[in-house]
């Protein structure tokens, strides 16, 4: 009986975890930013650096237009840094701070693929 109780207690400890603790962020872990939204398989377009958008980084414009600013993915792979490239992406949108000057919302990609539309 003691072995069964110890076993059940161990299983309970393993399975009862906070989901936020299970997420391993790489970009903003030292900045104490909170995740404010999670995106799954959202269509978007890569926007290259320009005077009309962010001048120093590639961004992703969400086609749902839920947010007015584009997302600034901290971990965008070089092969996706193509202006006008249509993509499907997933990831985490992080909060911004009150006096922070940004051109794109802090975002960490968990998945990105080129959008292939059938014609």
């Amino acid at each position: 009986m003691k072995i069964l109780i110890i076993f059940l207690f161990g299983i309970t400890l393993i399975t009862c975890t906070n989901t936020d603790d299970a997420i391993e962020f790489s970009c903003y872990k030292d900045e104490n930013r909170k995740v404010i939204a999670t995106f799954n398989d959202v269509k978007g377009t890569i926007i290259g650096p320009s005077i009309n958008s962010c001048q120093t980084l590639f961004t992703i414009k969400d086609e749902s237009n839920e947010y007015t600013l584009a997302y600034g993915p901290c971990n965008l792979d070089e092969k996706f840094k193509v202006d006008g490239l249509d993509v499907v992406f997933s990831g985490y949108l992080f909060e911004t701070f009150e006096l922070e000057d940004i051109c794109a919302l802090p975002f960490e990609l968990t998945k990105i693929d080129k959008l292939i539309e059938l014609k």
Side-chain angles (χ1 to χ4, degrees), residues 2 4 9 14 17 26 29 37 52 58 60 63 71 74 81 93 97 104-105 109 112-113 115 117:
K2 286 182 181 180
L4 180 60
F9 180 74
I14 292 171
T17 60
S26 60
K29 63 181 166 185
N52 297 327
F58 281 84
I60 301 176
E63 290 184 6
Y71 310 120
C74 60
K81 291 183 178 180
L93 178 62
F97 301 123
L105 298 170
L109 293 165
I112 186 167
D113 293 303
L115 181 63
E117 292 193 26

Side-chain angles (χ1 to χ4, degrees), residues 35-88:
V35 173
I36 59 171
T38 301
F39 293 81
N40 291 306
D41 298 324
V42 177
K43 291 180 183 178
T45 303
I46 303 292
I47 307 296
S50 75
I51 59 171
N52 297 327
S53 63
C54 290
Q55 294 184 14
T56 58
L57 69 133
F58 281 84
T59 59
I60 301 176
K61 180 66 179 154
D62 177 359
E63 290 184 6
S64 72
N65 294 318
E66 186 173 335
Y67 292 91
T68 56
L69 288 176
Y71 310 120
C74 60
N75 57 342
L76 184 64
D77 190 275
E78 289 295 320
K79 67 182 177 184
F80 291 99
K81 291 183 178 180
V82 178
D83 188 38
L85 179 66
D86 292 324
V87 294
V88 176

Side-chain angles (χ1 to χ4, degrees), residues 100-118:
E100 190 172 21
D101 184 20
I102 60 169
C103 64
L105 298 170
F107 195 85
E108 183 166 340
L109 293 165
T110 56
K111 182 176 105 177
I112 186 167
D113 293 303
K114 292 180 183 177
L115 181 63
I116 300 171
E117 292 193 26
L118 300 174

